[in-house]
Amino acid sequence: MGNFWVVLAIFLALISVPMGSVALLLVAVLLVLLVSVTRWWAKYCLARVSYSHELSSYRAFTGDELVLTTEIINGKFLPMPWVQVNDEMSQFAAPQQGRVVQAPEQDRVLLTSLLSMGWYHRIVRKYSVLCQRRGHFHLGPVKIRSGDLFGMFNREIQQGSDRLLAVYP
């Protein structure tokens, strides 16, 4: 999508010269400036961003209710107009609140959040998790996606599954 704007800016600059239109040349220069800033923004949007999720206990019995605490930190001066977090987990130990959707893999769900974060901002959320079935369940992986204000460019990072919940009978 972003390359379209670069091609459009070059096209506008090329046709503005034979037409003698300063206004059209100014629009082309502003468009090049906008594309440059948005590419830079998308390049650094996920730098110094950290995400963690913790359960109140990693051992439980069937029917127990645990607390899932998620924390995302923007540790830089650059604000993030939007950031999407998809935290994958088992459907048998899924949060009772929040936006939970079916994951591509069977028996997995995604806890999704769409947030806006200022510079040096920290967001902590707590969810109630009901352990429905015995077994071992991985918490994660997590995909974090963000980009520029206009949606021209975006970037995504992924953190692997790091925790294992054991639910006993």
Side-chain angles (χ1 to χ4, degrees), residues 20-54:
S21 175
V22 177
L24 200 55
L25 184 60
L26 182 62
V27 168
V29 169
L30 289 175
L31 198 54
V32 166
L33 183 64
L34 176 71
V35 168
S36 300
V37 168
T38 55
R39 277 193 188 200
W40 175 83
W41 198 301
K43 181 179 179 181
Y44 294 106
C45 66
L46 291 177
R48 297 184 61 194
V49 170
S50 64
Y51 180 84
S52 65
H53 49 221
E54 297 289 327

Side-chain angles (χ1 to χ4, degrees), residues 79-97:
M80 296 189 310
W82 64 274
V83 59
Q84 180 181 18
V85 180
N86 291 329
D87 199 347
E88 189 174 323
M89 56 195 64
S90 172
Q91 73 178 10
F92 304 114
Q96 303 298 306
Q97 310 92 359

Side-chain angles (χ1 to χ4, degrees), residues 112-132:
T112 63
S113 300
L114 186 60
L115 312 163
S116 177
M117 298 185 74
W119 50 81
Y120 301 105
H121 196 148
R122 176 178 164 226
I123 297 174
V124 177
R125 292 188 171 173
K126 295 184 184 280
Y127 302 95
S128 171
V129 174
L130 181 63
C131 301
Q132 300 174 3

Side-chain angles (χ1 to χ4, degrees), residues 10-169:
I10 293 170
F11 175 73
L12 289 175
L14 290 176
I15 65 168
S16 68
V17 174
M19 290 177 60
S21 175
V22 177
L24 200 55
L25 184 60
L26 182 62
V27 168
V29 169
L30 289 175
L31 198 54
V32 166
L33 183 64
L34 176 71
V35 168
S36 300
V37 168
T38 55
R39 277 193 188 200
W40 175 83
W41 198 301
K43 181 179 179 181
Y44 294 106
C45 66
L46 291 177
R48 297 184 61 194
V49 170
S50 64
Y51 180 84
S52 65
H53 49 221
E54 297 289 327
L55 282 169
S56 56
S57 174
Y58 290 96
R59 295 185 184 112
F61 289 98
T62 305
D64 283 356
E65 195 169 303
L66 304 174
V67 176
L68 172 68
T69 305
T70 64
E71 177 182 57
I72 185 166
I73 300 172
N74 181 12
K76 64 184 176 308
F77 185 71
L78 185 67
M80 296 189 310
W82 64 274
V83 59
Q84 180 181 18
V85 180
N86 291 329
D87 199 347
E88 189 174 323
M89 56 195 64
S90 172
Q91 73 178 10
F92 304 114
Q96 303 298 306
Q97 310 92 359
R99 184 165 186 255
V100 179
V101 296
Q102 187 64 40
E105 293 183 30
Q106 186 177 6
D107 297 336
R108 305 284 287 168
V109 293
L110 296 172
L111 173 63
T112 63
S113 300
L114 186 60
L115 312 163
S116 177
M117 298 185 74
W119 50 81
Y120 301 105
H121 196 148
R122 176 178 164 226
I123 297 174
V124 177
R125 292 188 171 173
K126 295 184 184 280
Y127 302 95
S128 171
V129 174
L130 181 63
C131 301
Q132 300 174 3
R133 183 186 285 183
R134 72 183 191 119
H136 292 111
F137 306 109
H138 286 279
L139 192 60
V142 177
K143 289 184 182 176
I144 305 170
R145 201 173 122 218
S146 185
D148 65 279
L149 182 62
F150 304 106
M152 293 172 128
F153 304 98
N154 58 50
R155 190 166 161 231
E156 182 177 295
I157 59 173
Q158 180 172 342
Q159 296 177 356
S161 59
D162 55 353
R163 298 294 182 150
L164 186 66
L165 169 64
V167 180
Y168 303 115

